[in-house]
Amino acid sequence: MPGTPGKPGARDIAVVAFAQSPHRRRTDELSEVEMLMPVLHEVLGRTGLRTSDIGFTCSGSSDYLAGRAFSFTMALDGVGAWPPISESHVEMDGAWALYEAWVKLLTGEADTALVYAYGKSSPGELRDVLTRQLDPYYVAPLWPDSVSLAALQARALIDAGDADEPALAAVAARSRAAAEANPYAQLTGSVPAGDYLVQPLRAGDCPPIGDGAAAVILAAGDTARRLCERPAWICGMDHRIEAHSLGVRDLTDSPSARLAAERAGAFERPVDTAELHAPFTSQEIVLRKALRLGDDVDVNPSGGALAANPVMAAGLIRIGEAAARIHRGASSRALAHATSGPCLQQNLVAVLEGES
Amino acid sequence: MSKEPVAVVGIGQTKHVAARRDVSLAGLVREAATRALDDARLTWADIDAVVIGKAPDFFEGVMMPELYLADALGAVGKPMLRVHTAGSVGGSTALVAANLIAARVHGTVLTLAFEKQSESNAMWGLSLPVPFQQPLLAGAGGFFAPHIRAYMRRSGAPDTVGSVVAYKDRRNALKNPYAHLHEPDITLEKVQASPMLWDPVRYSETCPSSDGACAMILTDRAGAARAPHPPAWVHGGAMRSEPTLFAGKDFVSPQAGKDCAADVYRQARITDPRREIDAVEMYVPFSWYEPMWLENLGFAAEGEGWKLTESGVTELDGDLPVNPSGGVLSTNPIGASGMIRFAEAALQVRGQAGEHQVDGARRALGHAYGGGAQFFSMWLVGAEPPPG
Amino acid sequence: MPEVLSAPLVVEFPFTRSLGPVQSAFLTGLRERTVLGVKTAGGGVLVPPVEYDPVTAEELRELVEVAPTGTVTTWAWNPSPRRYQPLRTPFAWVLVRLDGADTALLHALDAPGPDAVRTGLRVRVRWAAERTGAITDIACFEPYDSEDSGPAAPHDGRFADPVTGIVAPARLDYTYSPGRAPTDYINALAGRRTVGERCPSCRKVYVPPRGACPTCGIATAERVEVGPRGTVTTFCIVNIKARNLDIEVPYVYAHIALDGADLALHGRIGGIPYDQVRMGLRVEPVWTEGGRYPDHYRPTGEPDADYDAYKELI
C-alpha cells in the first residue's frame, strides 16, 4: 500500500480536546443547535481556540434521525461560521467526519480541525427509522428493526459457542458499572436485564435510545503540543465496509473491523484501553475477538454505547473517550472503534498514543 | 511535506434523463463507475477506496444508501465515505477523494455522486411538513428569484440576460450526449416566450429534474503515469461554508464563494482568472446565476458579470466559455450536479469533451454550491501537472 | 421556563423503485411462486439474487431456480411485532438458506413460540394469497419437514408481464419540537407580536430567533419585539400554484425586513396589484382568525424606503 500514514514523512496529528453533552432520553427543550452549541464552546474553550482559528471543520449527522432534509445546515449556526470557514459534512457517524478531518490535516492544508457530531433519536422511533438503511428492494419493505437484526447476530454467536446469555449479561453489567464514573452517561449502575426485546437479546443487552452531541479538536505537530499537555497522537486510522446483506456475511465475525485495525497498526503493539462502539452486548464479543483484545485490555471504561448511544455521535465519542483517557495519563496506547450499518457492516479503528 | 499531486484519469457519466426506469439505484451508480473505470483502463481491484456523495437521503428514501451500494461499487473490504454538503456535495465529494490521494493515504480512489430523483419528488423531500413552520410560499424557483431580482437591481442588468444564458446552455447541451435536455429547435425567442414562473425567472431558465450519476477515478503520480489517456491534474481545490441565514448575508455574491475561489486561485497561482482560465463549469440552476457567479468568482468586477454574458464571452466559442456541457440548466441530478461540473472541467483539459470541447483548454474551473447559497466547493484542473 | 412546543411530524412517501434486470426477475418470480437465485463466477448461488457479486463486484446475470424449502441459519424471536412487520402475531426473524442456495434470505417465520424454532430447522415459503411482485409475496416461512431438494436448476428469468418497478410506501412518525427560542417566537405570534432575539456580541436582532447567532456561534437570549411594519427588500411574482397552498396566482412572495430586525423574513404581499409591488415598499401584517403567521402583508401607505436604507438587508 503506497504511503501508509504513520510511516516516515506523514504528519503527526493528535486529538487535543474532547467534549460531549450529557446524554438523555429526550431533549425536547433544545433544538439541535441548542444541544450542540455548549459542546462546541467547551471543546474550543479547552484549547483556547476560536472558530476563526480552526483550519478545517467537519461534522457528522443524519437527516433521517431529524426527519428533515438538510438538517445539518442549521446546526452550523452553533459554529459561528463567519467569516466563512473551510467546512465539510458526512452523512455518517462523526467518527468518519474525524477521519475526513484527519486526512485534511495530513495533506498539510490545515493545522487544526474541529469535528462534531450530534444525533437526536428522541423525535422518531429509532428502531423503525434505522430500517430505512436496509436494502430498499428486498429488506426494507419487511421493516426488520435494529434490535431484531442484532438478535439474529447474537443467536449466531450463541450457536457458534462464542457466547451465552450470561456472558451477554456480564458485558452489560460491566459496561454500566463502568459508566458510574461517567457523568455524561445515560444509563449507569445496576440495570436489570429485563425481558427479551427480541430473543436472545434482553432490554439490558441493548443500548439506551437518546440524544447527544460530541466534539473533538485535532491538531498537527507542535500545534498539538502547544494546545494540549499530553496529546493523544493518532498512530493510525482506517475504516472498511462489508457486504450489505446479512445473508452473505458471517455474523459471528467482523473481518472489516479486523482489517481496519490491521491497517491502523493496532496489532503492532498491545493496547491498554479499547473504546468499542458496540451498541449490543453481543457485538462487543464479536469485536473483542476480531480486534484480538485480551482480558488485560480495559474495554469501554466509559461504559460504551451500552451506557449512551446518541446515534451519529456515539462513534466519535469512542475516539474522544479514548483520547481523553490518554490526556489524563490513564492510558498510553488505546484503540477506538466506531461502527455503522446493520450488524457491524462498517467499522473504523483509530489507534491513539500518549508520549511517555 | 508536500502534497502528492492528484490526477483525474477516469470519468464516467450516465445519460441523464428524467427517469431511468430500467435500472436500480445500484445499476445507476454502477453504470457511471464502470465507464470511469473503463476510461482509466482499471478494474475494481485497482481501487483503494470509494467516496460517494448525494443530496438528502429523503430524495430516494434510503437512509445512508452507501451501505446498500457498497457491493455494487466494489467497496467491500475497502474504505467507503459518504459526503453530504447539500447542492455542493458533488464537488465536495471529489475534493474529499482528492485529499485521500494528496495525503498519500491511498493511491487510487473512485469517487461518485448520484441522484435518482424519479424515485420520489425533490420538492416533497425539500418541503417536509415541519410543524409550526411557515409553509413555503413558492417552489424552488421562488427561493432563488428574489435574489435574482436583487442582482438585477444592483447591477442594472437588462432583463434579457437570463434568456441569453439559457439559450446558450441549451444549445451547448446539444453537443453533449450525456446531457438531459436536448432541444434541437431551441431559439432565443422560444426561451423568451416561455412562461414566467417566478418572475423574473422563466420556465426555460430553470433546471430540469434528472436521474443520473457521475464518477471519477483519481490517482497519484504513479497512477497517472500508467493512465491510457491524458490526465487532468488538480491544481487547487477548496470548500467554504457560511451560515444559512444571517444578518448581513449577501445572497447575490456570498462571501464564502469569493473566499473559496480566492483559495483555489492562490493554490493554482492564478492572479487573473479571466485571462488564465480557459473554461468554466459553474453551478447555474437558474440562468441568472451565470452573471452572478462570474462576479462572485472574480471573472468580472461587481455589477459587470452580465456584460460578459451579453457580449458572448461565455459562449462555447467565446473568450471564456461557461458551461460548454450545457450545465445544470440542461442536466440536474441534484447530488451529482456538482461532480458533473468538476468532471466536465477535467474533460476539457484532457481534451476529451468531444463536440463541446473548448479549443486548447489548458486550465478549467469546476464550481458547485448549495444550501442557502452557503456551501461552496471548487477545483481548478490543468492539462499539465502542478509545478513543484 | 414555559413548555416547549411539540407536534407530530409524519414523513410519508410512496417511493417508486425501478428494479433492473435481476431484481425484476426475482420479484416477478415470487409473484409466480418461483424463487430465483443468481450464480457467481465461482459457482455459488446467491438468494436473494443481487446484481453485483458482494465479493468480487462482478456483474451477475446468470439466474437459477431454487426450492421454496430451506434451512434456518439463525433466528430471533420477536414477541412484539412492530407496525409494518410481516406478521401481526409474535414470530421469529430468520435467515433461511433455501435448498440450492449458498446464502441466506431474511424473512419472518410463523411459529407457535420460540421453543418451536432452532437453527437448522427446516422451513418452506408460505406464499401470500395476493402477489404483486414484491418481497412480501412471501408472506412468511413456516416449519416444514422435508429433505434438502438439492442443487439449483437453470432458469432464464423470463416471465410474462414482468414487474419492472415496485412502489415502496414508507411512513415514519416523528414528534417534532422546535426548541426553546422558536417556541418563544411562536408563542409571541399567538399574541400577534413578532419577537426576535439579539446577539449579545454583535447586537444583531434575529427574527425568527434560532437560539444561536449564526455568525458569532453563541446563544441569543435578549428578546426584542420588532415590526409590525417593515420594508420589502426583494420579491418575486409567483405564477404557478405551489402544492398544498390555496393561494390564487399570480401573487407576490417577498422578503420583508421588519423594523428593528437585522434580516428579512418571508411573506406574501396583498392589498396591492401584484405588478405594483416594488423593492422598498413599506408593509404591515394582516392577520386572519386562527392563523399562526400573518396571512399576508399590505402596504402601509408610507413613502417607499430609500434603497440605501435596506440594501444591506437584501
Short mmCIF file of all heavy atoms in Angstrom, two decimals, chain B residues 20-21 23-24 30 60 71 116 118-119 121 132 136-137 142 146 149-150 153 196-199 245 247, chain C residues 13 15-18 51 54 57 206 210 214 234-237 239 243 245 251 253 262 266 293 307 314:
data_model
loop_
_atom_site.label_atom_id
_atom_site.label_comp_id
_atom_site.label_asym_id
_atom_site.label_seq_id
_atom_site.Cartn_x
_atom_site.Cartn_y
_atom_site.Cartn_z
N ARG B 20 -34.78 7.03 -15.05
CA ARG B 20 -34.11 5.82 -15.51
C ARG B 20 -34.88 4.64 -14.94
O ARG B 20 -34.51 4.08 -13.91
CB ARG B 20 -32.66 5.80 -15.04
CG ARG B 20 -31.68 6.54 -15.93
CD ARG B 20 -31.58 5.98 -17.33
NE ARG B 20 -31.12 4.61 -17.39
CZ ARG B 20 -29.84 4.25 -17.45
NH1 ARG B 20 -28.89 5.15 -17.47
NH2 ARG B 20 -29.51 2.98 -17.50
N ARG B 21 -35.94 4.25 -15.65
CA ARG B 21 -36.79 3.19 -15.12
C ARG B 21 -36.20 1.80 -15.33
O ARG B 21 -36.73 0.82 -14.85
CB ARG B 21 -38.16 3.25 -15.76
CG ARG B 21 -38.87 4.57 -15.53
CD ARG B 21 -40.16 4.41 -14.75
NE ARG B 21 -40.88 5.68 -14.69
CZ ARG B 21 -40.78 6.53 -13.66
NH1 ARG B 21 -40.03 6.25 -12.62
NH2 ARG B 21 -41.45 7.67 -13.68
N VAL B 23 -33.08 0.79 -14.52
CA VAL B 23 -32.01 0.39 -13.60
C VAL B 23 -32.43 0.64 -12.15
O VAL B 23 -33.23 1.53 -11.85
CB VAL B 23 -30.69 1.16 -13.85
CG1 VAL B 23 -30.03 0.72 -15.14
CG2 VAL B 23 -30.92 2.67 -13.83
N SER B 24 -31.84 -0.16 -11.27
CA SER B 24 -31.99 0.07 -9.83
C SER B 24 -31.04 1.20 -9.43
O SER B 24 -30.25 1.68 -10.24
CB SER B 24 -31.61 -1.20 -9.08
OG SER B 24 -30.25 -1.51 -9.34
N ARG B 30 -23.55 2.10 -10.78
CA ARG B 30 -22.62 1.16 -11.39
C ARG B 30 -22.26 1.58 -12.82
O ARG B 30 -21.11 1.47 -13.25
CB ARG B 30 -23.29 -0.21 -11.38
CG ARG B 30 -22.54 -1.29 -12.06
CD ARG B 30 -21.45 -1.84 -11.19
NE ARG B 30 -20.84 -2.95 -11.87
CZ ARG B 30 -20.13 -3.90 -11.28
NH1 ARG B 30 -19.95 -3.84 -9.98
NH2 ARG B 30 -19.61 -4.88 -11.96
N GLU B 60 -34.37 9.74 -2.24
CA GLU B 60 -34.63 8.36 -2.67
C GLU B 60 -35.28 7.53 -1.57
O GLU B 60 -35.67 6.39 -1.80
CB GLU B 60 -33.35 7.66 -3.11
CG GLU B 60 -32.82 8.11 -4.45
CD GLU B 60 -31.92 9.33 -4.31
OE1 GLU B 60 -31.67 9.75 -3.17
OE2 GLU B 60 -31.47 9.87 -5.34
N ASP B 71 -21.73 -2.96 -2.26
CA ASP B 71 -21.47 -4.13 -3.10
C ASP B 71 -21.35 -3.73 -4.57
O ASP B 71 -20.44 -4.16 -5.28
CB ASP B 71 -22.60 -5.16 -2.97
CG ASP B 71 -22.81 -5.65 -1.55
OD1 ASP B 71 -22.76 -4.82 -0.62
OD2 ASP B 71 -23.02 -6.86 -1.36
N LYS B 116 -31.29 9.84 -7.97
CA LYS B 116 -32.32 9.21 -8.79
C LYS B 116 -33.63 9.86 -8.36
O LYS B 116 -34.40 9.30 -7.59
CB LYS B 116 -32.32 7.69 -8.59
CG LYS B 116 -33.00 6.91 -9.70
CD LYS B 116 -32.54 5.45 -9.72
CE LYS B 116 -33.07 4.67 -10.91
NZ LYS B 116 -34.51 4.46 -10.94
N SER B 118 -36.33 10.44 -9.73
CA SER B 118 -37.63 9.89 -10.11
C SER B 118 -38.17 8.93 -9.05
O SER B 118 -39.34 8.59 -9.07
CB SER B 118 -37.52 9.15 -11.45
OG SER B 118 -36.70 8.02 -11.32
N GLU B 119 -37.32 8.50 -8.10
CA GLU B 119 -37.82 7.57 -7.07
C GLU B 119 -38.78 8.29 -6.12
O GLU B 119 -39.60 7.66 -5.48
CB GLU B 119 -36.67 6.96 -6.28
CG GLU B 119 -35.65 6.28 -7.16
CD GLU B 119 -35.63 4.75 -7.08
OE1 GLU B 119 -35.82 4.22 -5.99
OE2 GLU B 119 -35.44 4.10 -8.12
N ASN B 121 -39.84 12.70 -5.07
CA ASN B 121 -40.13 14.03 -5.59
C ASN B 121 -39.30 15.00 -4.78
O ASN B 121 -39.43 15.06 -3.57
CB ASN B 121 -41.63 14.30 -5.43
CG ASN B 121 -42.00 15.70 -5.87
OD1 ASN B 121 -41.51 16.67 -5.33
ND2 ASN B 121 -42.87 15.79 -6.84
N PHE B 132 -45.24 23.95 12.86
CA PHE B 132 -45.04 25.33 13.32
C PHE B 132 -44.36 26.22 12.29
O PHE B 132 -44.38 27.43 12.41
CB PHE B 132 -44.22 25.39 14.63
CG PHE B 132 -44.68 24.44 15.67
CD1 PHE B 132 -43.89 23.38 16.09
CD2 PHE B 132 -45.95 24.58 16.22
CE1 PHE B 132 -44.33 22.49 17.04
CE2 PHE B 132 -46.40 23.69 17.19
CZ PHE B 132 -45.59 22.65 17.59
N LEU B 136 -43.77 26.90 2.88
CA LEU B 136 -43.05 27.56 1.80
C LEU B 136 -44.05 28.22 0.88
O LEU B 136 -45.05 27.60 0.51
CB LEU B 136 -42.21 26.54 1.02
CG LEU B 136 -40.97 26.00 1.72
CD1 LEU B 136 -40.27 25.00 0.83
CD2 LEU B 136 -40.04 27.14 2.09
N LEU B 137 -43.77 29.43 0.51
CA LEU B 137 -44.75 30.17 -0.29
C LEU B 137 -44.55 29.98 -1.78
O LEU B 137 -45.34 30.44 -2.57
CB LEU B 137 -44.68 31.66 0.05
CG LEU B 137 -45.37 32.00 1.38
CD1 LEU B 137 -44.99 33.39 1.83
CD2 LEU B 137 -46.88 31.89 1.25
N GLY B 142 -38.93 30.01 -6.47
CA GLY B 142 -39.37 31.11 -5.61
C GLY B 142 -38.32 31.46 -4.58
O GLY B 142 -38.27 32.58 -4.08
N PRO B 146 -36.09 35.99 -5.89
CA PRO B 146 -35.87 37.30 -5.26
C PRO B 146 -34.39 37.71 -5.26
O PRO B 146 -34.07 38.90 -5.36
CB PRO B 146 -36.39 37.11 -3.83
CG PRO B 146 -37.38 35.99 -3.93
CD PRO B 146 -36.81 35.07 -4.98
N ARG B 149 -33.67 39.09 -8.62
CA ARG B 149 -34.17 40.46 -8.72
C ARG B 149 -33.22 41.44 -8.03
O ARG B 149 -32.94 42.53 -8.54
CB ARG B 149 -35.57 40.58 -8.10
CG ARG B 149 -36.18 41.96 -8.24
CD ARG B 149 -37.58 42.02 -7.65
NE ARG B 149 -38.48 41.05 -8.28
CZ ARG B 149 -39.15 41.24 -9.40
NH1 ARG B 149 -39.03 42.39 -10.04
NH2 ARG B 149 -39.93 40.31 -9.89
N ALA B 150 -32.70 41.00 -6.88
CA ALA B 150 -31.75 41.86 -6.16
C ALA B 150 -30.51 42.11 -7.01
O ALA B 150 -29.98 43.22 -7.06
CB ALA B 150 -31.37 41.22 -4.83
N ARG B 153 -31.30 44.60 -9.74
CA ARG B 153 -31.38 45.94 -9.18
C ARG B 153 -29.98 46.51 -8.95
O ARG B 153 -29.69 47.65 -9.25
CB ARG B 153 -32.16 45.90 -7.86
CG ARG B 153 -32.12 47.17 -7.02
CD ARG B 153 -32.88 48.31 -7.70
NE ARG B 153 -32.94 49.52 -6.89
CZ ARG B 153 -31.94 50.41 -6.78
NH1 ARG B 153 -30.80 50.19 -7.41
NH2 ARG B 153 -32.08 51.48 -6.03
N MET B 196 -43.48 32.74 -17.63
CA MET B 196 -42.81 33.35 -16.49
C MET B 196 -43.33 32.61 -15.25
O MET B 196 -44.50 32.72 -14.89
CB MET B 196 -43.18 34.83 -16.44
CG MET B 196 -42.39 35.63 -15.46
SD MET B 196 -40.63 35.71 -15.82
CE MET B 196 -40.53 37.25 -16.76
N LEU B 197 -42.46 31.83 -14.59
CA LEU B 197 -42.90 31.05 -13.43
C LEU B 197 -42.82 31.86 -12.16
O LEU B 197 -43.80 32.06 -11.46
CB LEU B 197 -42.06 29.78 -13.29
CG LEU B 197 -42.04 28.84 -14.48
CD1 LEU B 197 -41.26 27.57 -14.12
CD2 LEU B 197 -43.45 28.46 -14.92
N TRP B 198 -41.59 32.26 -11.86
CA TRP B 198 -41.36 33.07 -10.66
C TRP B 198 -40.69 34.34 -11.16
O TRP B 198 -39.46 34.41 -11.21
CB TRP B 198 -40.45 32.34 -9.68
CG TRP B 198 -40.98 31.01 -9.22
CD1 TRP B 198 -41.92 30.80 -8.26
CD2 TRP B 198 -40.57 29.70 -9.68
NE1 TRP B 198 -42.14 29.45 -8.11
CE2 TRP B 198 -41.33 28.77 -8.95
CE3 TRP B 198 -39.65 29.25 -10.62
CZ2 TRP B 198 -41.19 27.39 -9.15
CZ3 TRP B 198 -39.50 27.89 -10.81
CH2 TRP B 198 -40.27 26.97 -10.08
N ASP B 199 -41.45 35.27 -11.57
CA ASP B 199 -40.94 36.50 -12.17
C ASP B 199 -39.84 37.06 -11.28
O ASP B 199 -40.11 37.35 -10.10
CB ASP B 199 -42.11 37.48 -12.30
CG ASP B 199 -41.77 38.70 -13.13
OD1 ASP B 199 -40.58 39.01 -13.24
OD2 ASP B 199 -42.71 39.33 -13.64
N LEU B 245 -28.61 31.61 7.05
CA LEU B 245 -29.24 32.94 7.04
C LEU B 245 -28.57 33.74 8.14
O LEU B 245 -28.44 33.25 9.25
CB LEU B 245 -30.72 32.82 7.41
CG LEU B 245 -31.68 32.21 6.41
CD1 LEU B 245 -32.98 31.86 7.12
CD2 LEU B 245 -31.95 33.20 5.30
N ALA B 247 -27.58 38.03 9.53
CA ALA B 247 -27.64 39.47 9.31
C ALA B 247 -26.41 39.88 8.51
O ALA B 247 -25.29 39.60 8.90
CB ALA B 247 -27.65 40.20 10.66
N PHE C 13 -44.04 8.83 2.07
CA PHE C 13 -43.99 8.95 0.62
C PHE C 13 -44.00 7.56 -0.01
O PHE C 13 -43.36 6.65 0.49
CB PHE C 13 -42.71 9.70 0.19
CG PHE C 13 -42.81 10.24 -1.21
CD1 PHE C 13 -43.44 11.44 -1.45
CD2 PHE C 13 -42.29 9.52 -2.28
CE1 PHE C 13 -43.54 11.95 -2.73
CE2 PHE C 13 -42.39 10.01 -3.57
CZ PHE C 13 -43.03 11.23 -3.80
N PHE C 15 -42.37 5.68 -2.45
CA PHE C 15 -41.22 5.70 -3.36
C PHE C 15 -41.43 4.71 -4.50
O PHE C 15 -41.88 3.59 -4.28
CB PHE C 15 -39.94 5.37 -2.58
CG PHE C 15 -39.60 6.42 -1.56
CD1 PHE C 15 -39.98 6.25 -0.23
CD2 PHE C 15 -38.97 7.58 -1.93
CE1 PHE C 15 -39.70 7.23 0.71
CE2 PHE C 15 -38.68 8.57 -0.99
CZ PHE C 15 -39.06 8.39 0.32
N THR C 16 -41.11 5.14 -5.70
CA THR C 16 -41.23 4.26 -6.86
C THR C 16 -39.83 3.77 -7.21
O THR C 16 -38.97 4.56 -7.56
CB THR C 16 -41.82 5.02 -8.06
OG1 THR C 16 -41.06 6.22 -8.26
CG2 THR C 16 -43.25 5.40 -7.80
N ARG C 17 -39.64 2.49 -7.10
CA ARG C 17 -38.30 1.94 -7.28
C ARG C 17 -38.23 1.07 -8.52
O ARG C 17 -38.89 0.03 -8.59
CB ARG C 17 -37.90 1.09 -6.07
CG ARG C 17 -38.05 1.81 -4.75
CD ARG C 17 -37.05 1.31 -3.73
NE ARG C 17 -37.18 2.07 -2.50
CZ ARG C 17 -36.67 3.30 -2.32
NH1 ARG C 17 -35.99 3.88 -3.30
NH2 ARG C 17 -36.82 3.92 -1.19
N SER C 18 -37.44 1.50 -9.49
CA SER C 18 -37.21 0.65 -10.64
C SER C 18 -36.20 -0.42 -10.24
O SER C 18 -35.35 -0.19 -9.39
CB SER C 18 -36.74 1.48 -11.83
OG SER C 18 -35.84 2.48 -11.41
N GLU C 51 -27.40 -7.95 -8.12
CA GLU C 51 -26.87 -7.60 -9.45
C GLU C 51 -25.35 -7.67 -9.51
O GLU C 51 -24.78 -7.81 -10.58
CB GLU C 51 -27.32 -6.18 -9.81
CG GLU C 51 -28.82 -6.04 -9.95
CD GLU C 51 -29.22 -4.60 -10.23
OE1 GLU C 51 -29.26 -4.21 -11.41
OE2 GLU C 51 -29.46 -3.86 -9.26
N PRO C 54 -21.03 -9.65 -4.17
CA PRO C 54 -20.56 -8.94 -2.98
C PRO C 54 -19.07 -9.18 -2.71
O PRO C 54 -18.46 -8.41 -1.97
CB PRO C 54 -21.42 -9.49 -1.84
CG PRO C 54 -22.10 -10.70 -2.37
CD PRO C 54 -22.09 -10.62 -3.87
N ALA C 57 -17.37 -8.00 -6.91
CA ALA C 57 -18.01 -6.84 -7.55
C ALA C 57 -18.38 -7.11 -9.01
O ALA C 57 -18.87 -6.21 -9.69
CB ALA C 57 -17.15 -5.59 -7.45
N TYR C 206 -32.18 38.78 15.50
CA TYR C 206 -32.58 37.67 14.64
C TYR C 206 -34.07 37.38 14.75
O TYR C 206 -34.59 37.20 15.84
CB TYR C 206 -31.75 36.42 14.98
CG TYR C 206 -30.44 36.47 14.25
CD1 TYR C 206 -29.36 37.17 14.76
CD2 TYR C 206 -30.33 35.88 13.00
CE1 TYR C 206 -28.18 37.27 14.04
CE2 TYR C 206 -29.15 35.97 12.27
CZ TYR C 206 -28.08 36.66 12.80
OH TYR C 206 -26.93 36.76 12.08
N ARG C 210 -33.24 31.66 16.37
CA ARG C 210 -32.92 30.23 16.25
C ARG C 210 -32.14 29.73 17.47
O ARG C 210 -31.65 28.62 17.46
CB ARG C 210 -32.12 30.00 14.97
CG ARG C 210 -32.72 30.72 13.76
CD ARG C 210 -32.36 30.07 12.46
NE ARG C 210 -30.99 30.26 12.06
CZ ARG C 210 -30.55 31.25 11.28
NH1 ARG C 210 -31.42 32.16 10.84
NH2 ARG C 210 -29.30 31.35 10.94
N PRO C 214 -25.78 32.98 14.29
CA PRO C 214 -25.02 32.11 13.39
C PRO C 214 -23.65 32.64 13.01
O PRO C 214 -22.80 31.86 12.61
CB PRO C 214 -25.93 32.01 12.16
CG PRO C 214 -26.79 33.22 12.20
CD PRO C 214 -26.96 33.56 13.65
N THR C 234 -36.79 42.50 -1.37
CA THR C 234 -36.83 41.96 -2.72
C THR C 234 -38.00 40.98 -2.78
O THR C 234 -38.61 40.67 -1.77
CB THR C 234 -35.49 41.31 -3.12
OG1 THR C 234 -35.56 40.89 -4.51
CG2 THR C 234 -35.16 40.10 -2.27
N PHE C 235 -38.31 40.50 -3.98
CA PHE C 235 -39.53 39.70 -4.12
C PHE C 235 -39.51 38.97 -5.46
O PHE C 235 -38.67 39.24 -6.33
CB PHE C 235 -40.77 40.59 -4.03
CG PHE C 235 -40.88 41.58 -5.17
CD1 PHE C 235 -41.65 41.29 -6.29
CD2 PHE C 235 -40.19 42.79 -5.13
CE1 PHE C 235 -41.74 42.20 -7.35
CE2 PHE C 235 -40.28 43.69 -6.20
CZ PHE C 235 -41.05 43.41 -7.30
N CYS C 236 -40.46 38.07 -5.64
CA CYS C 236 -40.75 37.56 -6.97
C CYS C 236 -42.25 37.41 -7.12
O CYS C 236 -42.98 37.39 -6.12
CB CYS C 236 -40.03 36.23 -7.25
SG CYS C 236 -40.68 34.82 -6.36
N ILE C 237 -42.69 37.36 -8.36
CA ILE C 237 -44.11 37.17 -8.64
C ILE C 237 -44.31 35.70 -8.99
O ILE C 237 -43.71 35.20 -9.94
CB ILE C 237 -44.58 38.06 -9.80
CG1 ILE C 237 -44.29 39.54 -9.45
CG2 ILE C 237 -46.06 37.84 -10.09
CD1 ILE C 237 -44.33 40.46 -10.67
N ASN C 239 -46.21 32.67 -10.42
CA ASN C 239 -47.25 32.44 -11.42
C ASN C 239 -47.71 30.99 -11.49
O ASN C 239 -48.57 30.66 -12.30
CB ASN C 239 -46.74 32.85 -12.81
CG ASN C 239 -46.68 34.35 -12.95
OD1 ASN C 239 -47.65 35.04 -12.66
ND2 ASN C 239 -45.54 34.87 -13.36
N ARG C 243 -47.77 23.51 -4.45
CA ARG C 243 -48.52 22.38 -3.91
C ARG C 243 -49.11 22.71 -2.54
O ARG C 243 -48.43 23.31 -1.71
CB ARG C 243 -47.56 21.22 -3.64
CG ARG C 243 -47.21 20.37 -4.80
CD ARG C 243 -45.99 19.59 -4.33
NE ARG C 243 -45.63 18.59 -5.32
CZ ARG C 243 -45.98 17.31 -5.23
NH1 ARG C 243 -46.68 16.86 -4.22
NH2 ARG C 243 -45.61 16.47 -6.15
N LEU C 245 -51.00 24.71 -1.38
CA LEU C 245 -51.21 26.09 -0.95
C LEU C 245 -52.41 26.63 -1.69
O LEU C 245 -52.45 26.60 -2.92
CB LEU C 245 -49.98 26.94 -1.27
CG LEU C 245 -48.88 27.02 -0.22
CD1 LEU C 245 -47.85 28.04 -0.63
CD2 LEU C 245 -49.43 27.33 1.16
N TYR C 251 -49.26 35.88 -7.37
CA TYR C 251 -49.13 36.59 -6.11
C TYR C 251 -47.66 36.92 -5.89
O TYR C 251 -46.79 36.39 -6.59
CB TYR C 251 -49.70 35.79 -4.93
CG TYR C 251 -49.02 34.47 -4.65
CD1 TYR C 251 -47.92 34.40 -3.80
CD2 TYR C 251 -49.50 33.29 -5.23
CE1 TYR C 251 -47.31 33.19 -3.52
CE2 TYR C 251 -48.89 32.07 -4.96
CZ TYR C 251 -47.80 32.03 -4.11
OH TYR C 251 -47.19 30.83 -3.85
N TYR C 253 -44.37 36.94 -3.57
CA TYR C 253 -43.64 36.35 -2.45
C TYR C 253 -42.46 37.28 -2.19
O TYR C 253 -41.69 37.57 -3.12
CB TYR C 253 -43.20 34.95 -2.85
CG TYR C 253 -42.06 34.37 -2.06
CD1 TYR C 253 -42.27 33.87 -0.78
CD2 TYR C 253 -40.79 34.29 -2.60
CE1 TYR C 253 -41.22 33.32 -0.06
CE2 TYR C 253 -39.74 33.74 -1.89
CZ TYR C 253 -39.95 33.26 -0.62
OH TYR C 253 -38.92 32.72 0.08
N ASP C 262 -32.60 42.56 11.89
CA ASP C 262 -31.38 42.69 11.08
C ASP C 262 -31.31 41.71 9.93
O ASP C 262 -30.28 41.56 9.30
CB ASP C 262 -30.15 42.57 11.98
CG ASP C 262 -29.94 43.84 12.77
OD1 ASP C 262 -29.79 44.90 12.15
OD2 ASP C 262 -29.98 43.79 14.02
N HIS C 266 -39.91 36.03 5.36
CA HIS C 266 -40.62 35.84 4.11
C HIS C 266 -42.13 35.99 4.29
O HIS C 266 -42.66 35.58 5.32
CB HIS C 266 -40.33 34.44 3.53
CG HIS C 266 -38.88 34.24 3.25
ND1 HIS C 266 -38.38 33.03 2.82
CD2 HIS C 266 -37.81 35.08 3.33
CE1 HIS C 266 -37.08 33.15 2.64
NE2 HIS C 266 -36.71 34.37 2.95
N TYR C 293 -49.29 32.56 11.48
CA TYR C 293 -48.46 33.60 10.86
C TYR C 293 -49.38 34.63 10.22
O TYR C 293 -50.54 34.31 9.90
CB TYR C 293 -47.54 32.99 9.81
CG TYR C 293 -46.47 32.12 10.42
CD1 TYR C 293 -46.68 30.76 10.61
CD2 TYR C 293 -45.27 32.67 10.84
CE1 TYR C 293 -45.70 29.96 11.19
CE2 TYR C 293 -44.29 31.88 11.42
CZ TYR C 293 -44.51 30.53 11.59
OH TYR C 293 -43.55 29.75 12.18
N TYR C 307 -33.38 52.98 -1.00
CA TYR C 307 -32.60 51.76 -1.27
C TYR C 307 -31.44 51.61 -0.29
O TYR C 307 -31.18 50.54 0.25
CB TYR C 307 -32.09 51.80 -2.71
CG TYR C 307 -31.27 50.59 -3.13
CD1 TYR C 307 -31.84 49.30 -3.11
CD2 TYR C 307 -29.95 50.72 -3.55
CE1 TYR C 307 -31.10 48.20 -3.50
CE2 TYR C 307 -29.20 49.63 -3.94
CZ TYR C 307 -29.78 48.36 -3.91
OH TYR C 307 -29.05 47.27 -4.31
N ILE C 314 -30.70 42.86 1.97
CA ILE C 314 -31.14 42.03 0.84
C ILE C 314 -30.38 40.72 0.86
O ILE C 314 -29.16 40.72 0.90
CB ILE C 314 -30.91 42.76 -0.51
CG1 ILE C 314 -31.80 43.99 -0.56
CG2 ILE C 314 -31.23 41.84 -1.66
CD1 ILE C 314 -31.61 44.81 -1.82
#
